[in-house]
């Protein structure tokens, strides 16, 4: 504080010291909380010793003991100084008014006390999350400098931001209550409903994010990329076309490949002058749990990058954060270009309840951080401006503490989720009737005519799998103006296998486009586009390349509805060219692992084999994405893309005519329904994908030997058609599973489990591919499921 200000406040240095000591004590109080929490690494903290409980009543931190209270100065008048104008800048040259600063100070205070409350609740086993926001309360000014309608994906230390957004709502929301309910995993919590402690609210445009560091960044890039596009395409846009997207993270997170990839994609787009209004904020406290970020690293990594404008502010100085955010946001909004806002901060009170900081930081270093406590920073601003006296600051602090901790005691016992049904409810809502209706709805005749260039596919004669998917995508794009198709090589080239050929010419680069070579960004784009109200259909070029980005489906796409009770959705149909049997072999173009998809709760995994099934199933997936917000993986067998024949060269047994729209309803394939080929009574071959082609050929051979086999094509790997499996298994009493995926973690395991669960009493066996990667050349055949293996197993089964 300046000397002049000292004089203005009557030289109240003693009072100021008291304020600072008092705030410091709130940190110390937090440091003494060592509840028996297990978080993240399973580390157990020491037994709770704080706060004491008196007759079941909450006894608050020791800092409120009478001795300390007596030491605190009373609220005093402002030493005869005329009251300052609250409408004036809180500091000369700042756009932050005193009035606004006071409001933000209240949010900061409440945020601080919510951290104390979190630890208290944890010590009572009434709360389950202790990662706090202390030291980061400067992010209150971020919220104040943005528009309430700007979508925000927040770092977990953004409590003050959330409280400000809540206060901005009309009528204002009870932000403190929301956060407390989240800490207590209460069913009444407004976004995750007790499923996790997240910061989010549909009315506040705060989109909940997962705990996986930086994993929300690709989605944020995708949202920024599609905001304007959604408006142009006439989608029922959730956000105004001039909104900007905020995504914040910590300093250690900047190093994560997900963040690095997302920042690169943002800059790559900006470099090409593609609109991407994204403000990335790094709340840099210099440390990630216990690992220090080298001083200067964040600035070195983020500044001076082409396509990414860099801003910096002192995160402990509310006015600086406010002014710098205003400048950064204005730049992003006007330029529609991304910026990186770097806020220097401190982390007070350790990473979370279970991590005693003293294990890896010197006491002097921890104490030094208190000098940059943003609460003291704001108190200084307000005192210097003559808006509060130190005593009034203390009063405000005490009032906030009483309010927040009182609310914590009130909400500690709020009811939690008690049944699996309740937990699961938002995971994968399914409305089969709406899906059936959506799947049968074509575009108008004129739109179809235009899209197909006058050559309607139903008149084109039998077509291959690739042609059927291509025609279905064309029809869907013609019917749905908000649908996008994108990925590597999908536009100009029309896909490696020609599946998307002609779509760019028919629908233009606004809806069909090539992306940067980064699967995380491709899926992130889909995540953002879905949020923005569009229907994204990204392509992953090969199944092997899904795995380096799988978290964008597993951790992000599949969880959003779960953690937001369906208030935010990211519908999508991810097309993935997959499976083996491409002549030249080699793992990367012949990946046969779907285990990583099958266990994702709520995910629909479609695995078509025949052209007619592929067309109908793709329509079902698109309709499910629209009606239910479903996330669908559509795994296409590359080896069957251009297959024509089944039993003999030239028989055309794998080509099927395309259904005209009037037959779509009758041909609808509901999610989770299998298809039976043949009616043999000796055994049931259960299969999918390339296995269907192999099994139908095997069945033909077996028939010639007098063995009657029926073949069940699963079509859906998740949810598995358990009813159909059981019915067809029971019909013959013998089940042979022909599984082209690996023995371990392969689909056969799930089919066997479904049979056991369903009480099947007949015989069951399986043939599958080896637990191996697929080698190059002829050796591939040595490890893959073969027609001969299916025939041999069938013969031995039937005896
Ligand atoms: C992908 C991933 N790896 C590891 C973790 C465990 N983890 C949680 S917080 C954290 C440190 C993050 O540090 P930083 O980004 O600097 O944010 P801060 O906590 O300091 O605010 C780590 C490693 C995680 N959540 N996600």
């Amino acid at each position: 504080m300046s000397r002049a200000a000292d004089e203005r406040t009557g030289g109240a240095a003693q009072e100021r010291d008291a304020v600072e000591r008092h705030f410091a004590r709130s940190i110390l109080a937090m440091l003494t909380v060592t509840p028996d929490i297990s978080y993240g690494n399973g580390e157990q903290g020491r037994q709770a010793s704080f706060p004491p409980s008196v007759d079941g009543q909450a006894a608050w931190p020791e800092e409120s003991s009478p001795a300390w209270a007596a030491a605190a100065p009373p609220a005093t008048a402002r030493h005869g100084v005329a009251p300052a104008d609250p409408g004036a800048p809180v500091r000369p040259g700042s756009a932050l008014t005193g009035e606004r600063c006071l409001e933000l100070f209240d949010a900061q205070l409440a945020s601080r006390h919510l951290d104390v409350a979190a630890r208290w609740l944890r010590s009572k086993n009434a709360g389950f999350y202790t990662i706090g926001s202390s030291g980061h309360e400067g992010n209150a000014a971020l919220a104040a400098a943005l528009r309430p309608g700007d979508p925000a994906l927040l770092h977990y230390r953004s409590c003050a931001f959330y409280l400000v957004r809540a206060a901005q709502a009309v009528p204002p929301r009870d932000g403190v209550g929301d956060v407390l309910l989240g800490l207590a995993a209460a069913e009444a919590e407004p976004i995750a409903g007790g499923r996790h402690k997240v910061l989010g609210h549909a009315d506040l445009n705060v989109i909940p994010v997962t705990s996986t560091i930086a994993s929300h960044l690709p989605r944020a890039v995708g949202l920024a990329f599609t905001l304007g596009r959604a408006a142009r395409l006439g989608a029922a846009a959730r956000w105004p076309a001039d909104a900007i997207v905020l995504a914040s993270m910590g300093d250690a997170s900047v190093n994560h490949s997900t963040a690095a990839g997302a920042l690169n994609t943002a800059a790559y787009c900006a470099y090409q002058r593609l609109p991407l209004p994204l403000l990335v904020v790094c709340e840099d406290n210099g440390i990630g749990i216990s690992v220090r970020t080298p001083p200067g690293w964040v600035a070195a990594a983020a500044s001076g990058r082409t396509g990414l404008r860099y801003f910096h502010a002192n995160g402990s100085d509310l006015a600086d954060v406010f002014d710098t955010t205003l400048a950064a946001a204005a730049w992003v909004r006007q330029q529609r270009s991304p910026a990186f806002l770097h806020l220097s901060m401190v982390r007070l009170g350790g990473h979370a309840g279970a991590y005693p900081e003293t294990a890896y930081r010197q006491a002097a270093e921890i104490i030094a951080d208190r000098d940059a406590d943003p609460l003291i920073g704001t108190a200084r601003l307000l005192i210097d401006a003559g808006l509060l006296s130190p005593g009034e600051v203390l009063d405000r602090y005490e009032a906030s503490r009483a309010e927040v901790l009182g609310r914590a005691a009130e909400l500690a016992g709020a009811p939690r989720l008690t049944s699996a049904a309740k937990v699961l409810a938002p995971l994968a809502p399914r409305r089969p009737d709406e899906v059936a209706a959506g799947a049968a709805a074509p575009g108008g005749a004129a739109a179809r005519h235009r899209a197909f260039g006058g050559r309607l596919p139903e008149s084109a004669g039998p077509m291959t799998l690739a042609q059927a998917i291509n025609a279905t995508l064309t029809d869907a794009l013609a019917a749905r103006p908000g649908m996008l198709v994108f990925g590597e090589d999908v536009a100009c080239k029309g896909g490696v296998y020609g599946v998307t050929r002609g779509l760019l010419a028919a629908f233009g680069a606004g809806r069909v486009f090539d992306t940067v070579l980064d699967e995380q960004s491709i899926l992130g784009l889909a995540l953002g586009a879905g949020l923005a109200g569009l229907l994204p259909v990204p392509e992953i070029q090969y199944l092997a390349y899904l795995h380096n980005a799988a978290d964008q489906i597993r951790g992000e796409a599949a969880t959003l509805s779960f953690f937001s009770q369906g208030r935010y959705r990211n519908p999508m149909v991810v097309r993935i060219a997959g499976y083996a049997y491409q002549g030249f072999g080699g793992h990367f173009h012949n990946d046969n692992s779907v285990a990583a998809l099958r266990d994702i709760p709520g995910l629909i995994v479609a695995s078509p084999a025949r052209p007619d099934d592929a067309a109908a199933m793709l329509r079902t997936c698109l309709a499910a994405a629209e009606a239910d917000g479903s996330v669908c993986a559509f795994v296409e067998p590359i080896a069957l893309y251009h297959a024509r024949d089944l039993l003999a060269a030239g028989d055309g047994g794998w080509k099927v005519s395309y259904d005209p729209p009037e037959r779509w309803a009758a041909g609808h394939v509901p999610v989770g329904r299998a298809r039976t080929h043949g009616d043999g009574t000796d055994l049931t071959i259960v299969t999918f994908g390339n296995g269907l082609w192999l099994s139908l050929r095997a069945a033909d051979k077996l028939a010639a030997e007098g063995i009657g086999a029926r073949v069940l094509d699963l079509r859906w790997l998740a949810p598995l058609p358990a009813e159909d499996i059981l019915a067809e298994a029971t019909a013959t009493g013998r089940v042979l599973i022909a599984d082209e995926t690996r023995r371990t973690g392969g689909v056969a395991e799930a089919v066997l489990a479904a049979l056991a669960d369903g009480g099947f009493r007949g015989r069951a066996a399986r043939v599958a591919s080896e637990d191996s990667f697929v080698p190059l050349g002829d050796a591939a055949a040595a490890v893959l499921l073969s027609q001969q293996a299916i025939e041999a197993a069938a013969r031995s089964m039937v005896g």
Side-chain angles (χ1 to χ4, degrees), residues 39-41 131-132 136 155-157 210-215 249-256 258 282-291 293 347 350-351 355 551:
Y39 184 85
N41 63 359
I131 296 186
H136 285 238
H155 187 43
Y156 43 72
R157 301 196 194 279
T210 68
S211 291
T212 309
I213 283 307
S215 65
M249 63 178 158
D251 47 288
S253 306
V254 171
N255 303 304
H256 201 281
T258 319
C282 174
E283 299 191 4
D284 179 2
N285 59 31
I287 196 163
I289 301 186
S290 67
V291 180
T293 295
R347 185 188 75 187
H351 176 72
Y355 296 90
D551 179 58

Side-chain angles (χ1 to χ4, degrees), residues 361-387:
R361 293 184 82 197
Q362 299 291 324
E365 195 188 339
I366 297 170
I367 289 167
D369 275 352
R370 292 188 341 218
D371 293 341
D373 185 337
L375 266 56
I376 294 177
T378 309
R380 278 199 188 106
L381 269 177
L382 291 164
I383 292 169
D384 283 358
L387 286 160

Side-chain angles (χ1 to χ4, degrees), residues 518-708:
D518 176 29
E519 283 73 15
Q520 289 194 129
S521 292
I522 293 170
L523 295 173
L525 179 53
L527 290 162
L531 257 185
L534 297 168
L535 178 56
V537 183
E539 178 185 295
I540 298 294
Q541 204 162 66
Y542 288 98
L543 181 56
Y545 307 130
L546 170 76
H547 301 300
N548 71 46
D551 179 58
Q552 292 298 307
I553 293 183
R554 170 180 292 275
E556 292 294 314
T559 62
L560 186 66
S561 181
F562 187 69
F563 290 134
S564 71
Q565 300 178 90
R567 294 198 172 99
Y568 288 109
R569 314 182 326 165
N570 38 219
M572 68 176 78
V573 181
V574 187
R575 293 182 42 251
I576 306 165
Y579 300 134
Y581 303 101
Q582 287 207 73
F584 51 85
H587 166 67
F588 304 97
H589 303 92
N590 287 273
D591 190 351
N592 59 351
S593 167
V594 290
L597 289 171
R598 270 193 37 240
D599 80 330
I600 299 177
L603 186 76
I604 292 176
V605 183
S607 181
R610 291 177 54 81
D612 45 351
D613 287 326
M617 290 166 71
L618 185 50
R619 285 196 283 270
T620 301
C621 286
L622 292 165
E626 273 180 335
D628 298 332
S630 299
V631 179
C632 310
F634 196 82
V635 185
E636 301 167 3
I638 299 169
L640 295 176
Y641 270 150
H642 305 304
R644 295 165 177 275
D645 307 326
L646 174 59
L647 301 176
D651 71 4
W654 210 257
K655 287 174 70 178
V656 185
S657 293
Y658 188 81
D659 270 345
E662 56 273 19
R663 288 225 292 269
W664 291 356
H668 173 58
V669 177
V671 174
R673 294 309 306 265
R675 173 176 178 181
T676 307
H677 297 264
D679 56 3
T681 52
D682 293 324
L683 96 153
T684 304
I685 301 176
V686 176
T687 191
F688 62 95
N690 293 292
L692 179 65
W693 190 81
L694 296 173
S695 298
L696 289 174
R697 288 166 62 90
D700 183 67
K701 270 237 163 134
L702 292 167
E705 297 169 22
I707 298 174

